[in-house]
């Protein structure tokens, strides 16, 4: 399937006017308050700040609304407050009015505004020079006035009573003016009713003022007439490509989008362009439903939806993903759940919109939506050029790679060279020896050759991008070789786009305290174009990250937490799955689709006892029956010892969990199958034999006694000759050996702190009664007790039994002398220790108070 559409911008989720269609000015009013000059910013990029006149001492304000904050003026007494909005014209605003002017936005008038005879909305009859246009209400009905360079009216038209506005209603109001054609229109949308009207054409004669230098004023005319109510999301565009019909479609497409509703439960503004639940005083609601704007749906056949999101497994989630479709943006199909694999179940139509639910069971956490992708089936074979942009104006293409795949499957596909904008430049039909090499949690590279004399050789250059189906590769080396027969061949080596994460902005050392994999991945990807995708691994790790680039951090996260890293290059997402493949059902059998097979059973790296050493020589002996190692004699009763470098760990519980996870791999032989096989799925009627990297497949060879289900962990796929594909199944001997060797080598310089070492260490102890020899003396106690019979360094100790929903603690204040550093030391024991929630903590908190009265708090996590 090809990527058809991505929703990943703020207007996609709020329904705000797109900045690319407001090139002369866009004022969203989303600030919490005005700046020191009583002004708000211009989101168009033109730098035309909008100033509130008479802000101080009035009820003028920026307040919550349906699209973020909005401007409120003259809400009490317009003739007394006399507030209005103002943008200075430096003379350039209307210097090229071009084919069409559009101006408009959202208003919510009071009874004062719709009840008076004259009420100014948008005015250029103020400041230097002659005006060009004037939008107002005449007895509550929209009125448009246009002027020539002498200030003479060339149009003065008030709409009929069919367009009568009411107080307290949000209206989208916009004027479209075509100077050369002598035509103008009004577009009026009623938010409450969900209806929109385009007026009859309003013809005019005369020349619209081509040199207007007047300032822009909202809500005032002649220091006499004032508007009372609200303004939001106003725009101005000269030489615009949008028509009245486009503005009508804009209103209808964004009618349900609710990410900007400040009273709602979802929020597309605080962490824009991402969507989260809306926090109030740091507390998130337990759920909220997001509606997106509608987008053009260019599907051929069926479609598929994926949602890029961050969540904490078991705590936060994005669920109930639904679609609705329409042929005209007015009549919509019912909301329907997407299929199990994201299939669009709604009728195929011109437009589609999305609805989904964000949930959390912990009101201090929220899921996050980064984007919604819509995929469609391939179009029938034809001209290689991708179709042009058929989106209506106002429905913009997302940044990044949007090139449609030239091929649907790897088998018989050819490399496609992309230009700097991600569009097709050339299909390399004469490429050969096209090999894709990929490993689970490992390399992803492309190599191929092409005759040097090929006409399309000129498109090949270092750092250019190559597309293979949907994946993108970057050319790293280009080698031209002349053979003994005089033939010149160009050989190309390219790496997957995610390799560039190795060149990301340098990362500083960072500590993670009982953190999820998603937290560490988000830190790794911060400052890149990539985002965290789906994370199904739920382990927590306390560790110190000392890697300096995004890719190395991601690799370390996968190693520490377990799971398979999957890089989604087209959508710039990194997933971490507990298991990335499927049980494909594919069968490899001798004389069917398997030409040869090699089975290797290797016990070179077999380990049955594995020691682990954490930060500063820490072990987990105290929580593992005094043993600083874990054992597994499932395969062999022989004691075979190795060590694991866990110097990133500062938490013994997590280090013990990690050591057990690693020993589960090391305690058994490495069984590897390398086979030369054919991808039968490229043939008609064999689609069920499809498999992918990471999938489980069945291997049968009766002569060798092989009948196993095993996993594809590495593949060298020959695109030109799918029958010459090399697979490595189960485990790759090279990677596992390197992992263990690195672990042993990493122990150099790391020393184990033995009980003898501790006995010889006798520091001065500032804590009184630190061993419970004197019951609870000197301690402030809540829930602890002294145990006189069980101790570590003596005969007694402190103990407490955890209780759900309660905090138990003991504390003591000490007054040490001034030193450069202090050591916190404790021995702990636990039995059946379990966290009942993500908020649970077991540890030591140190609060330092300095001479100036300031304090600093540190928490040492012990579980």
């Amino acid at each position: 399937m090809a990527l058809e559409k991505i929703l990943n911008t703020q207007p996609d989720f709020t329904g705000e006017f797109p900045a690319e269609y407001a090139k002369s000015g866009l004022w969203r009013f989303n600030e919490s308050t005005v700046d020191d000059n009583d002004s708000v910013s211009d989101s168009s990029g033109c730098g035309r700040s909008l100033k509130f006149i008479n802000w101080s001492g009035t009820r003028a304000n920026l307040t919550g609304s349906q699209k973020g904050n909005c401007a409120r003026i003259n809400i009490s007494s317009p003739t007394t407050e006399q507030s209005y909005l103002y943008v200075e014209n430096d003379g350039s605003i209307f210097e090229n009015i071009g084919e069409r002017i559009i101006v408009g936005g959202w208003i919510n008038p009071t009874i004062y505004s719709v009840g008076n005879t004259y009420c100014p909305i948008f005015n250029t009859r103020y400041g230097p020079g002659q005006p060009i246009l004037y939008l107002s209400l005449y007895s509550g009905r929209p009125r448009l006035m246009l002027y020539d360079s002498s200030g003479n009216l060339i149009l003065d038209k008030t709409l009929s009573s069919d367009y009568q506005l009411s107080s307290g209603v949000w209206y989208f109001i916009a004027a479209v003016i075509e100077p050369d054609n002598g035509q103008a229109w009004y577009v009026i949308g009623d938010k409450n009713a969900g209806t929109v009207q385009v007026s009859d054409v309003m013809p005019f004669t005369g020349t619209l003022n081509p040199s207007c230098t007047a300032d822009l004023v909202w809500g005032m005319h002649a220091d006499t007439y004032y508007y009372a109510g609200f303004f939001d999301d106003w725009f101005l565009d000269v030489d615009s490509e949008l028509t009245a019909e486009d503005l009508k479609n804009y209103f209808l497409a964004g009618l349900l989008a609710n990410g900007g509703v400040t009273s709602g439960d979802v929020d597309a503004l605080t962490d824009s362009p991402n969507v989260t639940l809306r926090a109030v005083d740091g507390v998130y609601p337990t759920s909220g439903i997001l509606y997106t704007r509608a987008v053009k749906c260019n599907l051929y056949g069926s479609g598929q939806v994926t949602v890029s999101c961050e969540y904490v497994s078991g705590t936060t989630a994005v669920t109930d993903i639904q679609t609705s479709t329409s042929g005209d943006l007015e009549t919509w199909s019912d909301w329907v759940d997407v299929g199990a694999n994201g299939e669009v179940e709604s009728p195929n139509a011109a437009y589609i919109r999305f609805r989904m639910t964000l949930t959390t069971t912990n009101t201090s956490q929220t899921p996050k939506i980064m984007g919604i992708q819509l995929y469609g089936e391939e179009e029938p074979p034809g001209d290689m050029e991708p179709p042009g942009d058929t989106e209506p104006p106002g429905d913009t293409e997302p940044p990044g790679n949007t090139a449609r795949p030239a091929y649907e499957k790897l088998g018989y596909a050819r490399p496609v060279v992309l230009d700097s904008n991600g569009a097709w430049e050339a299909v390399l039909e004469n490429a050969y020896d096209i090999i894709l090499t990929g490993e689970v949690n490992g390399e992803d590279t492309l190599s191929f050759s092409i005759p040097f004399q090929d006409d399309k050789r000129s498109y090949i250059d270092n750092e250019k991008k190559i597309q293979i189906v949907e994946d993108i590769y970057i050319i790293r080396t280009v080698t031209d070789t002349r053979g003994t027969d005089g033939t010149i061949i160009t050989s190309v080596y390219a790496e997957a786009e995610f390799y560039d994460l190795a060149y990301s902005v340098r990362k500083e050392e960072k500590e993670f305290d009982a953190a999820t994999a998603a937290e560490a991945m988000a830190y790794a990807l911060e400052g890149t174009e990539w985002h965290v995708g789906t994370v199904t691994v739920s382990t927590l790790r306390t560790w110190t990250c000392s890697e300096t680039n995004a890719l190395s951090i991601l690799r370390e996260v996968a190693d520490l937490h377990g799971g398979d890293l999957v890089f989604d290059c087209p959508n710039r997402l990194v997933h971490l799955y507990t298991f990335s493949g499927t049980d494909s059902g594919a069968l490899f059998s001798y004389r069917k689709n398997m030409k040869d097979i090699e089975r290797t059973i290797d016990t070179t790296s077999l380990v049955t006892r594995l020691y682990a050493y954490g930060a500063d020589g820490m072990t987990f002996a105290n929580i593992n029956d005094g043993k600083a190692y874990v054992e597994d004699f499932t395969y062999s009763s022989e004691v075979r010892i190795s060590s694991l470098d866990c110097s990133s760990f500062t938490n013994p519980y997590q280090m013990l969990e990690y050591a057990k996870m690693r020993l589960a791999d090391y305690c058994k032989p490495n069984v590897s199958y390398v086979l030369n096989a054919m991808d039968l799925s490229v043939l008609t009627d064999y689609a069920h034999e499809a498999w992918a990297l990471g999938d489980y497949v069945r291997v049968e060879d009766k002569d060798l006694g092989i009948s196993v289900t095993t996993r594809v962990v590495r593949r060298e796929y020959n695109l030109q000759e799918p029958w010459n594909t090399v697979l490595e199944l189960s485990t790759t001997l090279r990677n596992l050996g390197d992992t263990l060797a690195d672990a042993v080598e990493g122990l150099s310089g790391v020393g184990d702190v033995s009980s003898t070492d501790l006995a010889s260490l006798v520091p001065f102890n500032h804590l009184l009664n630190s061993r419970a020899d004197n019951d609870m003396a000197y301690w402030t106690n809540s829930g602890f007790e002294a145990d006189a019979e069980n101790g570590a360094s003596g005969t007694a100790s402190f103990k407490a039994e955890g209780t759900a929903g309660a905090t138990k603690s003991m504390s003591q204040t000490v007054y040490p002398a001034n030193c450069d550093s202090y050591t916190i030391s404790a021995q702990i024991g636990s039995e059946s220790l379990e966290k009942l929630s993500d908020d649970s903590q077991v540890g030591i908190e140190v609060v330092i108070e300095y001479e100036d009265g300031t304090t600093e708090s540190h928490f040492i996590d012990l579980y």
Side-chain angles (χ1 to χ4, degrees), residues 302-493:
S302 61
Q304 188 176 39
V305 177
T306 63
V307 177
S308 305
C309 59
E310 292 180 8
Y311 66 94
V312 178
S313 180
T315 303
T316 62
V318 177
T319 62
D320 301 330
I321 302 167
Q322 298 179 315
T323 60
S324 175
T325 55
S326 172
D328 58 6
L329 292 172
E330 297 186 75
T331 302
W332 289 89
S333 68
D334 293 336
W335 289 102
V336 180
D337 292 337
V338 301
N341 295 312
E343 300 90 350
V344 176
E345 305 288 357
S346 298
N348 203 343
Y351 298 94
I352 189 169
R353 60 190 183 186
F354 304 89
R355 179 171 76 177
M356 59 204 65
T357 302
L358 293 80
T359 64
T360 183
T361 58
N362 181 347
T363 55
S364 67
Q365 295 179 288
T366 177
K368 181 188 296 185
I369 297 172
M370 284 88 72
I372 302 169
Q373 296 83 34
L374 175 65
Y375 297 86
E377 291 183 0
E378 292 298 316
E379 292 189 358
D383 196 359
M384 72 150 280
E385 288 301 321
D389 181 13
T390 58
E391 305 293 336
D395 199 3
T396 59
E397 289 296 324
N401 170 51
T402 58
R404 300 167 62 89
Y407 302 91
E408 186 177 351
K409 298 178 180 179
L410 287 180
Y412 306 118
R414 291 295 182 270
V416 180
V417 183
L418 304 180
D419 65 15
S420 58
N421 296 316
W424 293 357
E425 214 172 44
V427 175
L428 305 180
E429 299 95 341
N430 296 323
Y432 62 95
D433 289 344
I434 312 166
I435 306 295
L436 274 180
T437 302
E439 295 179 345
V440 174
N441 286 331
E443 68 175 306
D444 187 356
T445 61
L446 164 70
S447 63
F448 63 88
S449 298
I450 189 171
F452 183 79
Q453 301 300 329
D454 190 284
D455 290 342
K456 295 180 180 179
R457 166 62 180 85
S458 60
Y459 291 102
I460 297 173
D461 202 357
N462 291 72
E463 297 304 302
K464 292 197 74 169
K465 294 184 178 181
I466 297 282
Q467 185 172 6
I468 299 290
V469 188
E470 290 186 338
D471 286 327
I472 307 297
Y473 295 82
I474 302 175
I475 297 175
R476 299 304 191 195
T477 63
V478 179
T479 304
D480 297 316
T481 305
R482 183 189 292 275
T484 55
D485 60 354
T487 303
I488 306 177
I489 300 300
T490 297
S491 300
V492 176
Y493 166 78

Side-chain angles (χ1 to χ4, degrees), residues 58 85 102 196 246 280 294 302 309 437 439 534 539 563 655 851:
T58 70
L85 313 177
I102 62 169
V196 61
D246 293 329
V280 178
S302 61
C309 59
T437 302
E439 295 179 345
T534 301
T539 51
M655 189 170 72
E851 290 181 350

Side-chain angles (χ1 to χ4, degrees), residues 3 47 75 188 234 385 481 493 635 638 668 742 755 833 859:
L3 181 64
I75 210 71
I188 309 294
W234 268 75
E385 288 301 321
T481 305
Y493 166 78
Y635 180 81
E638 180 184 354
K668 54 193 176 186
D742 290 344
S755 57
L833 187 58
F859 188 82

Side-chain angles (χ1 to χ4, degrees), residues 54 61 173 291 446 494:
N54 295 329
N61 199 2
I173 178 171
Y291 292 83
L446 164 70

Side-chain angles (χ1 to χ4, degrees), residues 606-611 629 631 638-643 744:
L606 183 74
V607 173
T608 57
R609 177 179 294 173
L610 184 63
Y611 286 81
Y629 55 84
E631 294 177 316
E638 180 184 354
V639 177
R640 300 183 63 166
I641 300 174
S642 189
S643 301
V744 176

Side-chain angles (χ1 to χ4, degrees), residues 253-270:
L255 197 56
L256 286 189
N258 66 335
V261 179
T262 55
S263 60
D265 292 327
V266 294
D267 183 358
L269 297 172
T270 302

Side-chain angles (χ1 to χ4, degrees), residues 583-655:
D583 189 349
S584 68
L587 171 66
F588 291 99
S589 177
Y590 185 56
R591 292 195 178 95
K592 172 196 172 189
N593 57 348
M594 182 173 67
K595 294 194 295 184
D596 56 65
I597 183 170
E598 175 185 283
R599 176 178 60 186
T600 303
I601 303 173
D602 181 20
T603 56
T604 304
S605 302
L606 183 74
V607 173
T608 57
R609 177 179 294 173
L610 184 63
Y611 286 81
Y613 297 92
D616 299 323
M618 177 190 72
T619 73
F620 45 65
N622 286 340
I623 60 171
N624 191 44
D625 298 327
K627 299 176 182 177
Y629 55 84
V630 290
E631 294 177 316
D632 192 321
F633 298 103
T634 303
Y635 180 81
S636 172
S637 59
E638 180 184 354
V639 177
R640 300 183 63 166
I641 300 174
S642 189
S643 301
L644 192 64
D645 177 13
C646 295
S647 55
S648 295
F649 283 87
T650 57
N651 185 310
Y653 290 90
Q654 295 172 11
M655 189 170 72

